[in-house]
Amino acid sequence: MHLYRAVSEAMTVHETNFFRDRTTFDALRDHILPKLIERRRSSRRLRIWSAACSTGQEAYSVAMLLREHLPQREDWDIRIMGTDISQQTVEYASEGTYSRPEVNCGLPVRMLLRYMTRSEEQWQINPDLRAMCDFQRRNLCVSTAGLPLFDLILLRNVLFYLDSECRTSLLTAAHHHLAEDGFLVLGEIEQAEDVTDLFQPNDSAASLFYRPRKIV
Ligand SMILES: C[S@@+](CC[C@H](N)C(=O)[O-])C[C@H]1O[C@@H](n2cnc3c(N)ncnc32)[C@H](O)[C@@H]1O
């Protein structure tokens, strides 16, 4: 591994877990995903970006919620893209294999048994859930060119690692890549004032959800 990347891997905090921040995932389940599903009922197409996905639990948690809402998922074209600057975490996420402590942290037993399969001491994401997600290495501080338009962007627990220039350009890019009626989700300790020019709080759900403002 290149020295710079090795140092950066060692210094970066990859902490995450399934359904991290219960209130956010409750709001996703009860308000945001039902709204998006209703809005996309004719196209049956959903694009979701878990930016800074770490080892993938955030992306798989959203995939599980979508499966709960859409048992007939085969009729829908759903892609969840997970990206992270760390090659190691992206590979881990792609593997979709988690230890017992990892699945014991935040994942309801019902979801564990429905969407994962035990293999000795490890738990493996089931193939149909795995097939909904793509993982790739991407630095959020460089160009987001080539990314599609998303219906939902999760930008959680990463903004505070970035300098203000990068935060501003990333939020501008998120605005550019978010559908007009899509949603941005921040982490519980993210700075809302960073986003006020480009996004407005969504009033019908938890305060960490934002809608893009129209730029005239
Ligand atoms: C604390 S984890 C957050 C994981 C997940 N979003 C969550 O909320 O549980 C922060 C992640 O941000 C990633 N990260 C930090 N700087 C980044 C950058 N410039 N581009 C992409 N990912 C970055 C780290 O590698 C790490 O995996």
Side-chain angles (χ1 to χ4, degrees):
M1 190 190 297
H2 188 279
L3 179 63
Y4 169 77
R5 198 183 286 179
V7 170
S8 136
E9 291 271 6
M11 288 176 61
T12 310
V13 175
H14 301 300
E15 185 192 338
T16 189
N17 58 258
F18 289 101
F19 297 96
R20 180 179 187 181
D21 301 334
R22 198 72 232 183
T23 48
T24 298
F25 276 93
D26 285 351
L28 266 177
R29 183 194 60 208
D30 298 338
H31 301 285
I32 302 297
L33 292 179
K35 222 172 243 175
L36 284 175
I37 288 168
E38 196 47 48
R39 289 173 185 174
R40 300 295 181 267
R41 211 161 268 294
S42 56
S43 68
R44 291 177 177 258
R45 186 178 190 276
L46 278 173
R47 292 290 179 269
I48 293 166
W49 181 19
S50 166
C53 65
S54 186
T55 39
Q57 288 93 326
E58 183 176 86
Y60 290 126
S61 300
V62 174
M64 288 179 198
L65 289 186
L66 281 168
R67 287 302 303 265
E68 299 283 300
H69 278 294
L70 295 168
Q72 303 299 317
R73 190 198 73 76
E74 294 70 29
D75 300 348
W76 282 69
D77 172 13
I78 299 176
R79 305 288 339 138
I80 302 170
M81 190 174 85
T83 65
D84 200 281
I85 196 172
S86 153
Q87 182 64 28
Q88 284 175 8
T89 63
V90 165
E91 284 170 14
Y92 197 101
S94 301
E95 190 68 39
T97 305
Y98 295 94
S99 66
R100 188 190 291 262
E102 284 171 320
V103 299
N104 281 346
C105 189
L107 184 58
V109 174
R110 190 178 60 80
M111 303 285 235
L112 172 67
L113 298 177
R114 188 173 289 179
Y115 298 112
M116 298 181 81
T117 303
R118 188 172 169 181
S119 162
E120 298 181 353
E121 287 307 297
Q122 306 271 70
W123 288 81
Q124 178 74 43
I125 296 284
N126 287 344
D128 53 344
L129 203 78
R130 173 67 192 83
M132 295 168 70
C133 305
D134 299 306
F135 295 97
Q136 54 178 260
R137 181 174 182 273
R138 183 176 275 274
N139 184 348
L140 296 171
C141 296
V142 300
S143 166
T144 54
L147 290 180
L149 195 65
F150 293 101
D151 304 297
L152 175 67
I153 298 178
L154 299 106
L155 197 52
R156 304 168 62 230
N157 304 306
V158 65
L159 286 176
F160 51 80
Y161 293 116
L162 312 177
D163 63 33
S164 83
E165 192 185 335
C166 177
R167 278 204 307 274
T168 305
S169 74
L170 174 57
L171 287 163
T172 306
H175 185 271
H176 177 72
H177 287 285
L178 188 60
E180 271 181 20
D181 58 352
F183 295 95
L184 171 75
V185 193
L186 298 184
E188 279 184 353
I189 48 174
E190 241 85 52
Q191 296 290 306
E193 58 261 33
D194 278 344
V195 302
T196 48
D197 289 349
L198 296 167
F199 297 92
Q200 55 191 324
N202 181 62
D203 36 30
S204 69
S207 57
L208 303 166
F209 291 83
Y210 293 84
R211 288 176 290 130
R213 286 187 197 280
K214 273 207 174 81
I215 306 294
V216 281

